[in-house]
Amino acid sequence: MIVITGAAGFIGSCLVAKFHKEARLDLVLVDEFSSILKKNNLSGKNGFLKVHRDQLFDWLGINGSLVSFVYHLGARTDTTEKRKSIFDQLNLTYSKKIWRFCVQHQIPLVYASSAATYGLGEYGFEDNHEVVARLAPLNPYGVSKNDFDKWALRQPSTPPFWAGLKFFNVYGPNEYHKRRMASVIFHTFIQIRNTGAMKLFKSHRVDIANGAQARDFIYVKDVVNVCLFLFENRQNSGLLNVGTGQARTFLELAETTFRAAKKPIKISYIDTPKDIRATYQYFTEANIHKLRDWGYMESFYSLEKGIEDYVTRYLPNIPL
C-alpha cells in the first residue's frame, strides 16, 4: 500500500489523481478532510482507504507491514502564520514520526521540503547538503522545513530510500482551497474575471523594478511526474530541488495569464502587504543538476504552456 499524507491538498490530490488514472487502488489517503474545497479535490476518486491525520500512527501500528511506500506531502504551508508551535507540531514532530516509522519498517519515503528554506538565496539555490545548516529561511514555515531537513541529514538510520523535495513555486489545479496562499496565476485569473485587471506587488528594492520580481514557477503536473519518477527510481537519496531551473518574472506571468484568458492586458501595482514585506523573496531559481543526475530527463512545461493548460482547462470550472 502507498500512503499519501496531505492527500486532499494541492500536490497530494494531484498525485492521487495520477495514480487513480493509472488504476492503482492500493492507496491510503491521509488528511484532515474537513474543508469542503479540499474534499472537492478528491471528487470522483473512490475506492481508496481514508485515514484522518490524527489517526495515522494508530493505523500504522496495526497495518504498518502492508505499507510499501510513503509520500509525506501534508504540512502547514501558510507563510504568514507566525506561531512556531503550529509548525513544530505539524511540520516537524509529525514528520519525525513518519521518518522513524519508515526507518523501523524499511519503507521508502518521499517528503515535501520547500524552496522557502533558501531564504534570500544568500547561498544560492543548490540542493547541496553542506549548505543546509547555514540557510536562513525568512518565515516560520521555511524554518520548520529547514529544521526537518537538518534533522534528517543528522540521522544515523535512514529509510532504504528517501528524498526531501524542495518544491519551488508550484501552480495548477486543486490549489483553490489555499486561498491567499494560492499561486499568483490563480489570483491573476480571479482578478481578471472579476475586474478585468490585475494588481501586482510593487518592488520595495531600488535595484528591482515593479513586476521584475522573479520566481521558478513549476506546473503541478511536472511535480507529480517527478514524484512518480522517484517511486520507480530509488538509486539515490537526499534533498532534491524540484523546479524548472528557469526564473520568470511576475510581469511575464501576469501578461501570459491575460493572453491565455484572451483578455486585454491591464496591470497596476500595489504595496506589498506589511506582514510579508520583510520576508518576501525577490528571486528564486532551482539548480536542477542533481535532479538530472538522478536520471530525470523529462522536459518541463514552459510558463506559457503551463498557464495555457491551467487557464483553459481548469480555472473556468473552479469551485468558487
Side-chain angles (χ1 to χ4, degrees):
M1 304 185 81
I2 301 169
V3 171
I4 303 176
T5 74
F10 175 25
I11 297 172
S13 64
C14 290
L15 181 61
V16 170
K18 185 72 170 181
F19 277 125
H20 183 262
K21 186 177 180 180
E22 296 182 354
R24 291 199 67 124
L25 298 178
D26 56 340
L27 304 185
V28 179
L29 311 187
V30 181
D31 212 303
E32 43 85 27
F33 302 111
S34 64
S35 164
I36 293 176
L37 288 177
K38 288 178 75 174
K39 287 180 180 177
N40 287 335
N41 286 347
L42 296 176
S43 178
K45 311 301 185 297
N46 302 316
F48 299 125
L49 177 64
K50 295 180 180 179
V51 177
H52 192 282
R53 71 182 183 198
D54 292 344
Q55 303 301 317
L56 174 61
F57 296 103
D58 290 337
W59 184 89
L60 289 174
I62 299 170
N63 301 285
S65 62
L66 302 177
V67 178
S68 60
F69 201 97
V70 174
Y71 287 101
H72 177 37
L73 304 176
R76 183 62 174 266
T77 60
D78 187 346
T79 59
T80 66
E81 173 64 69
K82 302 302 182 185
R83 292 174 294 174
K84 182 176 180 295
S85 60
I86 296 292
F87 294 109
D88 284 347
Q89 175 188 353
L90 296 178
N91 293 6
L92 197 55
T93 301
Y94 198 91
S95 299
K96 289 179 180 179
K97 291 179 71 174
I98 287 178
W99 175 284
R100 289 173 177 136
F101 167 78
C102 290
V103 170
Q104 179 183 356
H105 295 273
Q106 287 296 282
I107 296 168
L109 168 67
V110 169
Y111 74 86
S113 182
S114 172
T117 58
Y118 289 117
L120 292 173
E122 304 97 321
Y123 302 100
F125 299 93
E126 185 176 353
D127 42 13
N128 183 340
H129 294 179
E130 300 303 317
V131 77
V132 172
R134 290 181 284 163
L135 295 178
L138 300 174
N139 51 55
Y141 163 70
V143 169
S144 71
K145 288 297 186 180
N146 200 54
D147 281 349
F148 183 72
D149 289 344
K150 290 189 291 186
W151 180 87
L153 291 173
R154 292 196 303 266
Q155 297 313 296
S157 300
T158 69
F161 160 79
W162 68 274
L165 305 186
K166 291 185 176 244
F167 294 129
F168 278 67
N169 283 72
V170 186
Y171 67 94
N174 292 12
E175 65 172 321
Y176 321 122
H177 66 281
K178 293 171 68 69
R179 301 290 189 176
R180 186 183 182 188
M181 292 296 108
S183 72
V184 178
I185 298 161
F186 171 83
H187 288 294
T188 299
F189 180 85
I190 296 299
Q191 287 193 36
I192 292 171
R193 187 184 67 178
N194 293 343
T195 70
M198 175 60 184
K199 296 178 180 180
L200 292 175
F201 290 156
K202 292 179 181 178
S203 170
H204 295 272
R205 286 177 47 173
V206 296
D207 59 328
I208 296 178
N210 291 337
Q213 304 98 313
R215 302 283 179 85
D216 190 331
F217 300 102
I218 180 168
Y219 199 26
V220 70
K221 292 184 179 182
D222 285 323
V223 169
V224 167
N225 286 340
V226 171
C227 289
L228 291 178
F229 168 81
L230 294 171
F231 182 77
E232 300 292 343
N233 298 270
R234 308 174 192 176
Q235 291 83 8
N236 302 283
S237 289
L239 301 176
L240 189 68
N241 283 340
V242 180
T244 67
Q246 182 178 12
R248 301 292 297 274
T249 70
F250 283 104
L251 180 58
E252 290 174 316
L253 178 153
E255 290 177 343
T256 301
T257 306
F258 274 98
R259 294 189 190 103
K262 295 181 170 55
K263 300 292 184 180
I265 297 173
K266 187 177 180 181
I267 298 170
S268 60
Y269 295 92
I270 60 174
D271 288 337
T272 304
K274 290 184 178 180
D275 64 333
I276 64 172
R277 191 179 302 174
T279 59
Y280 186 81
Q281 287 178 305
Y282 277 78
F283 179 86
T284 66
E285 184 176 80
N287 181 321
I288 59 172
H289 290 158
K290 187 189 289 186
L291 180 62
R292 296 307 193 195
D293 288 344
W294 284 20
Y296 188 79
M297 296 301 170
E298 299 297 322
S299 59
F300 295 97
Y301 277 84
S302 68
L303 186 65
E304 289 76 13
K305 291 296 185 182
I307 288 178
E308 180 182 13
D309 188 65
Y310 188 21
V311 168
T312 59
R313 295 185 60 193
Y314 300 99
L315 282 173
N317 303 312
I318 55 175
L320 294 176

